[in-house]
Amino acid sequence: MTLEEQVLERIKPSTDEKQKLEEVTSELLAKVSKSAASLGVSNIIPKLVGSAARNTWISGTHDLDIFIAFPADTRREDLEKNGLRIARNVANEGQNIEERYAEHPYLKMEYKGFDVDLVPCFAVDSASEIISAVDRTPFHNEFIKKTIPGREDDVLIMKQFMKGTGTYGSELRTQGFSGYLTELLIVHYGSFRNVIRNVCNWKPGLTIDMLEHGTIKHHDSLIVIDPTDPKRNVAAALSLNQFAQFIDGCRAYSEEPSEEFFFPKEKEPMNEDDIIHMMNSRRSSFIAIVFKAPHLVDDILYPQLDKMEQSIRALFEEYEFQVLNSGYWAKEEVIVLIELISSQLPLVKKHRGPPVWVCGHAKGFKDKYVYSDDLFSLYIEDGFYIADIRRKFATAKELIEAKIESCSLGKHLGKAVSSGFVTVEDTDIAKIKDPGFRRFLRKWEHGK
Amino acid sequence: MTLEEQVLERIKPSTDEKQKLEEVTSELLAKVSKSAASLGVSNIIPKLVGSAARNTWISGTHDLDIFIAFPADTRREDLEKNGLRIARNVANEGQNIEERYAEHPYLKMEYKGFDVDLVPCFAVDSASEIISAVDRTPFHNEFIKKTIPGREDDVLIMKQFMKGTGTYGSELRTQGFSGYLTELLIVHYGSFRNVIRNVCNWKPGLTIDMLEHGTIKHHDSLIVIDPTDPKRNVAAALSLNQFAQFIDGCRAYSEEPSEEFFFPKEKEPMNEDDIIHMMNSRRSSFIAIVFKAPHLVDDILYPQLDKMEQSIRALFEEYEFQVLNSGYWAKEEVIVLIELISSQLPLVKKHRGPPVWVCGHAKGFKDKYVYSDDLFSLYIEDGFYIADIRRKFATAKELIEAKIESCSLGKHLGKAVSSGFVTVEDTDIAKIKDPGFRRFLRKWEHGK
């Protein structure tokens, strides 16, 4: 049995599992129709979409996306109102019911062991005429159902490979490959092995346009023109780093395939001694900014964390602290961790003034510094006045404490930081006990 | 009496001093003629050139430049041989005689309290036809003797101002204003005060071409076309920094004139406590490289010192040590002093590899580092492979000791360093007792 067959054996749903899914689906579709009828909404069509409908779901994932398609000429208010009424009716027998809002409201629930989304949409004639973003999904469904048969197993193996290498998922936290994008890669290249082989030679800007109908120039790392919508890049959410990570993964796998790519061992948290040893052997400076995590969905939280990390890096660079690496980890607490060349700078700072021959500015500069208590020395270098002056923030801690709130942190994180944060430095960071955080610190190590 | 009149009183030669100079000059000119005749060299003309000939010499400076002009069609060997024979004859009664070699040989001696140069030259028809660089001097002499009368005192005051502000002298150590250039500025602007007034608004690239006969585009800070040679910039030796320093001095003087500009108090050497206090208050790192000074004339030594200082700065920057300031001091020892943000760097160094998608390079990079003992961590950032590796030189001292000899130091300094040097760091530098060096350290202070 090949490695890929072994993987498939672990991830392919059993006949029982499939049958169970089909039963629950039929039940739910019938419930939607019945519920609509009982509410006097006669013209809707319920349909299963997503990987469950395409036989591209991995064993153990029990997601059912049930769409409730309204005629395209339905008024938006009616769709929202009636969609939700039908969904609430169906959800009578569900648990953990949540009403969510994307472009319009939908409903999430747990039902007989499945995570069910009940999503109203407009039944438009083509994907280029969509009214709401979700209206596209049924077209994706049709395209994949037509083109994938016979290659479902390759999709499963591909998805598992992406999960194992951390590149699966197009949500803002991951910025990797969506399920639909994965399916399209299999359709385009024909098999898991062919995807691997081709990805090894991908370069940024690569365009895949199966139907040769693309109409717009995209500026993304990867461009996969949507077969159902010539204007859309299915890979728009893929970050440059995940694009690179995927190439790296495919190349490493093609050189030396192993089960590890699909099912990596979960990293052990570092222990206190490991962390201290890691820091002492690098001899750089670490500073952690710790505060209570706000309650937010990942798609709101993670973009703000990215922004915060970048703002803090920029703050350090502005004040001449050189950043080596950074990262963040979030659970009950958010910890933004920055590694610096040094968390201490000399008190003296070189401040370049105007060239000597720019008369007005030169006078202003000299007048400002000559009698200042903050001046160490004033001289001319390469024709410019230079004042060696006292630095305002000579330690990373002082800088963060004085300036973090004026950074651009994003609305919710800005608030969270304002209501209190602490800084923890160097080996004191090893006292933070959360195993998730200590696993995150493995980023600073190399697993050979 | 105005300030400038007071200055003039201190620097203008007395009648006695002038008479003495004229007597000695006559004596020497006669000796040259007599000596030539006795050697059977009949067609030379001896002449006094330089500031002594133009009445632009400052009291106490006793330099006599006696040129021995040979017909332009003299063969170079004959000029060199006969020039030196005549000079040696004249020097019979001199002391401390030295034969020197510029483009051709000349003779230096002390004679009745004067520093005398006896310089053979070709009597060409115009300065644009010179055979040897010194042939130009008699033309300068003629031009200034024609144009300066009545403004000699302004030249004296101007020269003293430049001496006081450290900008006088076109030799390679100073890279400031030559005597001839100073005289031309007075001829052009008319008076000391007018020079000061105009210099305040100088900008780099300013061109003064009194005869409007310049033929070549020069790319210097200041361009003063030689009235005796349209191709030559008299200010070519002026550095950008001395250009700026002079503007700064003129501007400060015009705002608040004082005797200090002409006769600055010599700075006191710093004492040990001053030095320690200076270093501790800046909280930067200092490293001094100390070695025995080779015996060289200033025009050879100082360009090599400049080169060495720049090479050491470049070495530090190449290995990621950030240089704040630097300087050198030379007497029996050479001391190159570098001020760094820090003399210590973390052991970890970020090493950027190729982009992930450049297949061949990417493989080479990973193969090189993955199993290396020097690797801390390997990851992808912005699409590039990054290896965090062990830094080779984590202290400034280690770097200097390992690499200084491979720096481009100039021939003589390279040899001197090879035969031994030491590094001295931070407050240990305060133990170096030479008052000249301790005066040089005032550069790191501000005299308010």
Side-chain angles (χ1 to χ4, degrees):
Chain A
M1 206 163 42
T2 67
L3 172 61
E4 286 135 29
E5 284 165 350
Q6 285 168 20
V7 170
L8 192 61
E9 218 171 46
R10 291 174 63 175
I11 60 172
K12 192 168 177 166
S14 66
T15 322
D16 279 5
E17 205 181 357
K18 281 191 189 169
Q19 203 181 328
K20 178 77 199 296
L21 180 132
E22 277 160 26
E23 279 168 24
V24 174
T25 302
S26 303
E27 233 179 277
L28 286 167
L29 293 177
K31 270 177 187 285
V32 170
S33 297
K34 217 176 107 191
S35 163
S38 75
L39 291 163
V41 183
S42 56
N43 46 4
I44 60 106
I45 302 165
K47 52 177 84 170
L48 179 70
V49 297
S51 59
R54 306 167 192 166
N55 266 316
T56 56
W57 53 287
I58 286 178
S59 166
T61 59
H62 290 154
D63 295 325
L64 292 180
D65 296 329
I66 308 277
F67 274 41
I68 308 165
F70 286 76
D73 61 0
T74 310
R75 291 194 312 158
R76 189 176 275 262
E77 305 99 85
D78 292 340
L79 175 135
E80 291 183 3
K81 192 185 65 188
N82 290 328
L84 213 48
R85 284 166 74 203
I86 295 167
R88 281 178 189 150
N89 238 336
V90 172
N92 263 344
E93 294 165 49
Q95 277 107 44
N96 294 324
I97 298 151
E98 276 180 62
E99 289 183 16
R100 290 246 181 126
Y101 294 84
E103 242 179 286
H104 48 242
Y106 67 102
L107 190 144
K108 283 183 96 66
M109 65 167 178
E110 284 171 34
Y111 181 80
K112 297 193 174 172
F114 287 81
D115 294 315
V116 181
D117 281 5
L118 291 165
V119 182
C121 74
F122 292 100
V124 292
D125 282 342
S126 88
S128 56
E129 293 164 37
I130 60 163
I131 299 167
S132 167
V134 294
D135 303 343
R136 207 178 264 121
T137 308
F139 292 95
H140 295 168
N141 217 43
E142 289 316 303
F143 182 80
I144 298 299
K145 277 167 80 174
K146 256 193 311 204
T147 50
I148 210 68
R151 290 183 284 204
E152 289 92 341
D153 289 352
D154 286 277
V155 174
L156 294 184
I157 299 166
M158 190 80 251
K159 281 187 180 177
Q160 190 60 39
F161 179 84
M162 288 168 170
K163 280 176 197 236
T165 56
T167 53
Y168 187 70
S170 62
E171 67 283 4
L172 293 172
R173 176 174 180 174
T174 311
Q175 298 180 55
F177 293 80
S178 67
Y180 180 51
L181 179 54
T182 312
E183 291 161 339
L184 288 179
L185 291 178
I186 294 295
V187 171
H188 180 65
Y189 289 116
S191 68
F192 169 74
R193 287 205 179 168
N194 267 338
V195 173
I196 296 281
R197 196 168 13 246
N198 279 281
V199 170
C200 288
N201 297 308
W202 273 6
K203 302 209 170 357
L206 179 90
T207 301
I208 296 173
D209 184 0
M210 288 178 258
L211 303 189
E212 296 183 352
H213 69 167
T215 51
I216 286 179
K217 187 147 178 62
H218 297 271
H219 299 275
D220 300 305
S221 313
L222 175 65
I223 297 126
V224 178
I225 302 297
D226 193 337
T228 75
D229 183 351
K231 289 200 287 291
R232 184 166 174 268
N233 175 16
V234 181
L238 180 70
S239 72
L240 178 67
N241 243 26
Q242 287 290 46
F243 175 78
Q245 206 76 52
F246 186 55
I247 298 173
D248 180 65
C250 289
R251 211 181 275 149
Y253 180 78
S254 73
E255 279 165 19
E256 203 171 342
S258 85
E259 223 190 351
E260 275 280 298
F261 286 90
F262 300 94
F263 305 106
K265 287 189 209 90
E266 195 189 29
K267 285 173 181 166
E268 285 289 304
M270 292 173 84
N271 64 37
E272 194 167 333
D273 288 347
D274 292 342
I275 299 169
I276 291 170
H277 175 260
M278 177 274 282
M279 288 179 176
N280 286 345
S281 63
R282 295 172 79 97
R283 272 202 239 152
S284 48
S285 300
F286 286 83
I287 183 165
I289 297 142
V290 185
F291 57 95
K292 211 168 155 288
H295 292 291
L296 294 170
V297 294
D298 283 1
D299 271 2
I300 308 279
L301 177 63
Y302 281 84
Q304 287 192 24
L305 286 169
D306 284 337
K307 189 175 182 180
M308 179 169 183
E309 182 185 350
Q310 293 315 316
S311 295
I312 292 175
R313 287 185 77 123
L315 177 68
F316 276 127
E317 299 286 355
E318 185 188 341
Y319 285 87
E320 298 183 348
F321 291 88
Q322 289 178 279
V323 176
L324 280 170
N325 290 296
S326 61
Y328 55 76
W329 171 86
K331 211 172 145 196
E332 283 83 23
E333 284 181 325
V334 171
I335 304 181
V336 180
L337 183 60
I338 314 277
E339 184 186 16
L340 299 165
I341 287 278
S342 172
S343 59
Q344 235 178 329
L345 289 176
L347 261 188
V348 64
K349 173 190 153 76
K350 238 176 135 104
H351 180 58
R352 199 167 100 146
V356 171
W357 46 84
V358 179
C359 189
H361 290 143
K363 197 170 153 19
F365 184 80
K366 281 184 84 171
D367 287 352
K368 178 167 176 191
Y369 289 108
V370 167
Y371 297 102
S372 158
D373 285 342
D374 288 337
L375 184 73
F376 288 117
S377 48
L378 182 83
Y379 50 93
I380 294 170
E381 199 173 87
D382 302 327
F384 285 76
Y385 285 114
I386 312 277
D388 282 359
I389 55 172
R390 190 178 305 275
R391 188 183 295 277
K392 212 160 167 194
F393 302 109
T395 69
K397 188 182 166 72
E398 287 172 88
L399 175 63
I400 287 297
E401 285 174 355
K403 287 283 180 186
I404 194 171
E405 290 184 54
S406 62
C407 279
S408 157
L409 298 179
K411 189 173 149 196
H412 303 89
L413 291 189
K415 251 192 218 164
V417 166
S418 289
S419 55
F421 69 93
V422 294
T423 58
V424 185
E425 289 188 273
D426 299 323
T427 49
D428 281 348
I429 292 167
K431 292 179 193 148
I432 299 174
K433 292 205 162 46
D434 187 291
F437 175 70
R438 288 186 167 187
R439 212 173 268 130
F440 154 78
L441 288 178
R442 293 266 176 217
K443 196 178 142 167
W444 273 267
E445 273 206 336
H446 179 58
K448 275 171 201 175
Chain B
M1 205 160 50
T2 67
L3 171 62
E4 286 135 26
E5 283 165 350
Q6 286 169 20
V7 170
L8 191 62
E9 219 172 43
R10 292 174 64 175
I11 61 172
K12 191 169 178 166
S14 66
T15 322
D16 279 7
E17 205 182 357
K18 280 190 188 170
Q19 204 182 324
K20 179 76 198 297
L21 181 132
E22 278 159 25
E23 280 168 26
V24 174
T25 301
S26 302
E27 236 180 272
L28 285 167
L29 293 176
K31 271 177 185 289
V32 170
S33 296
K34 219 175 105 190
S35 162
S38 76
L39 290 164
V41 183
S42 58
N43 47 2
I44 60 101
I45 302 165
K47 52 177 82 166
L48 178 70
V49 297
S51 59
R54 306 168 192 166
N55 267 316
T56 56
W57 52 286
I58 285 178
S59 168
T61 59
H62 291 153
D63 296 326
L64 293 179
D65 297 329
I66 308 277
F67 273 43
I68 307 165
F70 286 76
D73 59 1
T74 309
R75 293 196 311 157
R76 188 177 276 263
E77 306 98 89
D78 293 340
L79 174 135
E80 291 184 3
K81 192 185 65 191
N82 291 327
L84 214 48
R85 286 167 74 206
I86 296 166
R88 282 178 188 148
N89 239 336
V90 173
N92 263 343
E93 294 165 49
Q95 279 107 46
N96 294 324
I97 298 152
E98 277 180 60
E99 291 183 14
R100 290 252 180 121
Y101 295 83
E103 240 181 287
H104 48 242
Y106 67 101
L107 190 143
K108 284 183 94 67
M109 65 167 176
E110 284 171 33
Y111 181 80
K112 297 194 174 170
F114 287 81
D115 296 315
V116 181
D117 281 7
L118 292 163
V119 183
C121 72
F122 294 100
V124 292
D125 282 342
S126 87
S128 56
E129 293 163 37
I130 59 164
I131 300 166
S132 166
V134 294
D135 304 345
R136 206 179 267 121
T137 308
F139 293 95
H140 293 169
N141 218 43
E142 291 316 304
F143 182 82
I144 297 299
K145 277 167 80 177
K146 257 194 307 200
T147 51
I148 210 69
R151 290 184 283 204
E152 290 91 341
D153 289 350
D154 286 276
V155 174
L156 295 184
I157 299 166
M158 191 79 252
K159 282 188 179 174
Q160 190 60 40
F161 179 85
M162 288 169 169
K163 280 177 198 235
T165 56
T167 53
Y168 188 71
S170 62
E171 67 282 3
L172 293 172
R173 177 175 180 175
T174 311
Q175 298 179 54
F177 294 80
S178 68
Y180 180 49
L181 178 55
T182 312
E183 291 161 338
L184 289 179
L185 292 178
I186 294 294
V187 170
H188 180 65
Y189 289 115
S191 68
F192 169 74
R193 289 206 179 168
N194 268 336
V195 173
I196 296 280
R197 200 172 7 249
N198 279 281
V199 171
C200 289
N201 296 309
W202 273 6
K203 303 210 169 356
L206 178 91
T207 301
I208 295 173
D209 184 0
M210 287 178 258
L211 304 188
E212 296 183 350
H213 69 167
T215 51
I216 286 179
K217 185 145 180 62
H218 298 272
H219 300 275
D220 302 306
S221 315
L222 174 66
I223 297 124
V224 178
I225 302 298
D226 193 338
T228 76
D229 183 349
K231 288 202 286 289
R232 184 166 174 267
N233 175 17
V234 182
L238 180 70
S239 70
L240 177 68
N241 242 27
Q242 287 290 46
F243 175 79
Q245 206 76 52
F246 187 55
I247 298 173
D248 180 64
C250 290
R251 211 180 276 149
Y253 181 78
S254 73
E255 278 166 20
E256 202 170 344
S258 86
E259 222 190 350
E260 274 279 299
F261 287 90
F262 301 94
F263 305 106
K265 288 189 211 86
E266 196 188 29
K267 284 173 181 165
E268 286 289 306
M270 292 173 83
N271 64 37
E272 195 167 331
D273 288 347
D274 292 342
I275 299 169
I276 291 171
H277 176 259
M278 177 273 283
M279 289 179 175
N280 286 344
S281 63
R282 295 173 78 97
R283 272 201 237 153
S284 47
S285 300
F286 286 83
I287 182 164
I289 297 142
V290 185
F291 58 95
K292 212 167 155 291
H295 292 290
L296 295 170
V297 295
D298 284 359
D299 271 1
I300 308 279
L301 177 62
Y302 281 85
Q304 288 192 24
L305 286 170
D306 284 337
K307 190 176 181 177
M308 178 169 184
E309 183 186 348
Q310 293 315 315
S311 296
I312 292 175
R313 287 184 75 123
L315 177 69
F316 276 127
E317 300 286 357
E318 185 188 341
Y319 285 87
E320 298 183 345
F321 291 88
Q322 289 178 279
V323 176
L324 280 170
N325 290 295
S326 61
Y328 55 75
W329 171 86
K331 212 173 141 194
E332 285 82 23
E333 285 181 325
V334 171
I335 303 182
V336 180
L337 184 60
I338 314 277
E339 183 186 16
L340 298 165
I341 287 278
S342 173
S343 60
Q344 235 177 330
L345 289 176
L347 261 188
V348 64
K349 175 189 151 78
K350 238 178 135 102
H351 181 57
R352 199 168 100 148
V356 170
W357 46 85
V358 179
C359 188
H361 290 143
K363 193 167 157 22
F365 184 81
K366 280 185 83 170
D367 286 352
K368 179 166 176 193
Y369 289 108
V370 167
Y371 296 102
S372 159
D373 285 341
D374 288 337
L375 184 73
F376 289 117
S377 47
L378 182 82
Y379 50 94
I380 295 170
E381 197 173 89
D382 302 328
F384 285 76
Y385 285 114
I386 311 277
D388 281 0
I389 55 173
R390 191 179 306 275
R391 188 183 295 278
K392 213 162 168 190
F393 302 108
T395 69
K397 187 181 166 75
E398 287 172 89
L399 174 63
I400 287 297
E401 285 175 355
K403 288 283 179 184
I404 194 171
E405 289 183 56
S406 60
C407 278
S408 159
L409 298 179
K411 189 173 149 195
H412 303 90
L413 291 190
K415 252 192 214 161
V417 167
S418 289
S419 55
F421 70 93
V422 293
T423 57
V424 185
E425 288 187 276
D426 300 323
T427 48
D428 281 347
I429 293 167
K431 293 179 192 146
I432 300 174
K433 291 205 162 44
D434 188 291
F437 175 70
R438 287 186 167 187
R439 213 172 267 128
F440 155 77
L441 288 178
R442 293 267 177 215
K443 196 177 141 167
W444 273 267
E445 275 207 334
H446 179 57
K448 276 171 200 175

